[in-house]
Coordinates of all heavy atoms in Angstrom, one line a residue:
I58 N 93.4 62.0 93.0 CA 92.3 63.0 92.9 C 90.9 62.5 92.5 O 90.0 63.2 92.2 CB 92.7 64.2 92.0 CG1 92.9 63.8 90.6 CG2 94.0 64.9 92.6 CD1 93.1 65.0 89.6
H148 N 92.0 76.4 94.7 CA 91.6 75.5 95.8 C 92.1 76.1 97.1 O 91.4 76.4 98.0 CB 91.9 74.1 95.5 CG 91.2 73.1 96.4 ND1 91.3 71.8 96.3 CD2 90.3 73.3 97.5 CE1 90.6 71.2 97.2 NE2 90.0 72.1 97.9
V156 N 91.5 77.9 102.3 CA 90.9 76.9 101.4 C 89.5 77.4 101.0 O 88.7 77.7 101.9 CB 90.7 75.5 102.1 CG1 90.1 74.5 101.3 CG2 92.1 75.0 102.6
Q157 N 89.3 77.5 99.7 CA 88.0 78.1 99.2 C 86.9 77.0 99.2 O 87.1 75.8 99.0 CB 88.3 78.6 97.8 CG 89.4 79.7 97.7 CD 89.2 80.8 98.7 OE1 88.1 81.2 99.1 NE2 90.3 81.5 99.1
P158 N 85.6 77.5 99.3 CA 84.5 76.6 99.3 C 84.2 76.2 97.8 O 83.2 76.6 97.2 CB 83.3 77.5 99.8 CG 83.8 78.9 99.5 CD 85.3 79.0 99.5
L159 N 85.0 75.3 97.3 CA 85.0 74.9 95.9 C 83.7 74.2 95.6 O 83.1 74.4 94.5 CB 86.1 74.0 95.5 CG 87.5 74.6 95.2 CD1 88.3 73.7 94.3 CD2 87.4 76.0 94.6
A160 N 83.2 73.3 96.4 CA 82.1 72.5 96.1 C 80.8 73.4 95.8 O 80.1 73.1 94.9 CB 81.8 71.4 97.2
E161 N 80.7 74.4 96.7 CA 79.6 75.3 96.5 C 79.7 76.1 95.2 O 78.7 76.3 94.5 CB 79.6 76.3 97.7 CG 78.6 76.0 98.7 CD 78.6 77.1 99.8 OE1 79.5 77.0 100.7 OE2 77.8 78.1 99.8
I162 N 80.9 76.5 94.9 CA 81.1 77.3 93.7 C 80.9 76.4 92.5 O 80.4 76.8 91.5 CB 82.6 77.9 93.7 CG1 82.7 78.9 94.9 CG2 82.9 78.6 92.4 CD1 84.1 79.4 95.1
G163 N 81.3 75.1 92.6 CA 81.1 74.1 91.6 C 79.7 74.0 91.2 O 79.3 73.9 90.1
R164 N 78.8 73.9 92.3 CA 77.4 73.8 92.0 C 76.8 75.0 91.3 O 76.0 74.8 90.4 CB 76.6 73.6 93.4 CG 76.6 72.2 93.9 CD 75.5 72.0 95.0 NE 75.9 72.7 96.2 CZ 76.8 72.2 97.1 NH1 77.4 71.0 96.9 NH2 77.1 72.9 98.2
R167 N 77.9 74.8 87.7 CA 77.2 73.7 86.9 C 75.8 74.2 86.6 O 75.3 74.0 85.5 CB 77.2 72.5 87.8 CG 76.4 71.4 87.2 CD 77.1 70.1 87.3 NE 78.5 70.1 86.9 CZ 79.3 69.1 87.0 NH1 78.9 68.0 87.5 NH2 80.6 69.3 86.6
F173 N 84.2 75.1 85.1 CA 84.8 75.4 86.4 C 86.2 74.9 86.5 O 86.4 73.7 86.5 CB 83.9 74.9 87.5 CG 84.4 75.2 88.9 CD1 85.0 76.4 89.2 CD2 84.1 74.4 90.0 CE1 85.5 76.8 90.5 CE2 84.6 74.7 91.3 CZ 85.2 75.9 91.5
S175 N 89.9 74.9 88.7 CA 90.6 75.3 90.0 C 92.1 75.0 89.9 O 92.5 74.0 89.4 CB 89.9 74.5 91.2 OG 90.6 75.0 92.4
A180 N 96.8 72.6 97.0 CA 95.8 71.8 97.8 C 96.3 70.3 97.7 O 96.2 69.6 98.7 CB 94.4 71.9 97.3
P185 N 92.7 66.2 101.2 CA 92.1 65.2 100.3 C 91.5 65.9 99.1 O 90.8 66.9 99.3 CB 91.1 64.4 101.2 CG 91.2 65.0 102.5 CD 92.0 66.3 102.5
V186 N 91.7 65.4 97.9 CA 91.1 66.1 96.7 C 90.3 65.0 96.0 O 90.8 64.0 95.7 CB 92.2 66.6 95.8 CG1 91.6 67.1 94.5 CG2 93.0 67.7 96.5
D187 N 89.0 65.4 95.8 CA 88.1 64.5 95.0 C 87.4 65.4 94.0 O 86.5 66.2 94.3 CB 87.1 63.9 96.0 CG 86.1 63.0 95.3 OD1 85.9 63.1 94.1 OD2 85.5 62.1 95.9
V188 N 87.9 65.3 92.8 CA 87.4 66.2 91.7 C 85.9 66.0 91.5 O 85.2 66.9 91.0 CB 88.1 66.0 90.4 CG1 89.5 66.5 90.5 CG2 88.1 64.5 89.9
Q189 N 85.3 64.8 91.8 CA 83.9 64.6 91.7 C 83.1 65.5 92.7 O 82.2 66.2 92.4 CB 83.5 63.2 91.9 CG 84.3 62.2 91.0 CD 84.2 62.5 89.6 OE1 83.3 63.1 89.1 NE2 85.3 62.1 88.9
A190 N 83.6 65.3 94.0 CA 82.9 66.1 95.1 C 83.1 67.6 94.9 O 82.2 68.3 95.3 CB 83.5 65.6 96.4
L191 N 84.2 68.0 94.4 CA 84.4 69.4 94.2 C 83.7 70.0 93.0 O 83.4 71.2 93.0 CB 85.9 69.7 94.0 CG 86.9 69.4 95.2 CD1 88.3 69.6 94.8 CD2 86.5 70.2 96.4
G192 N 83.3 69.2 92.1 CA 82.5 69.6 90.9 C 83.3 70.4 89.9 O 82.8 71.2 89.2
V193 N 84.6 70.2 89.9 CA 85.5 70.9 89.0 C 85.5 70.2 87.6 O 85.4 69.0 87.5 CB 87.0 71.0 89.5 CG1 87.0 72.0 90.6 CG2 87.5 69.7 89.8
D194 N 85.7 71.0 86.6 CA 85.8 70.4 85.2 C 87.3 70.3 84.9 O 87.7 69.5 84.0 CB 85.1 71.3 84.2 CG 83.6 71.3 84.4 OD1 83.0 70.3 84.4 OD2 83.1 72.5 84.7
Y196 N 91.4 70.9 86.7 CA 92.1 71.1 88.0 C 93.6 70.9 87.8 O 94.0 70.0 87.2 CB 91.5 70.0 88.9 CG 91.9 70.1 90.4 CD1 91.1 70.9 91.3 CD2 93.1 69.5 90.9 CE1 91.5 71.0 92.6 CE2 93.4 69.6 92.3 CZ 92.6 70.4 93.1 OH 92.9 70.5 94.4
R215 N 87.9 67.0 82.9 CA 86.7 66.1 83.1 C 86.3 65.6 81.7 O 86.3 66.3 80.7 CB 85.5 66.8 83.7 CG 84.3 66.0 83.8 CD 83.1 66.8 84.4 NE 83.4 67.2 85.8 CZ 83.3 66.4 86.9 NH1 83.0 65.1 86.7 NH2 83.7 66.9 88.0

Side-chain angles (χ1 to χ4, degrees):
I58 63 170
H148 194 177
V156 179
Q157 304 303 336
L159 282 203
E161 258 182 278
I162 297 169
R164 273 194 294 280
R167 177 136 312 174
F173 183 31
S175 183
V186 174
D187 180 336
V188 290
Q189 310 306 332
L191 295 174
V193 290
D194 300 300
Y196 192 87
R215 180 181 296 282

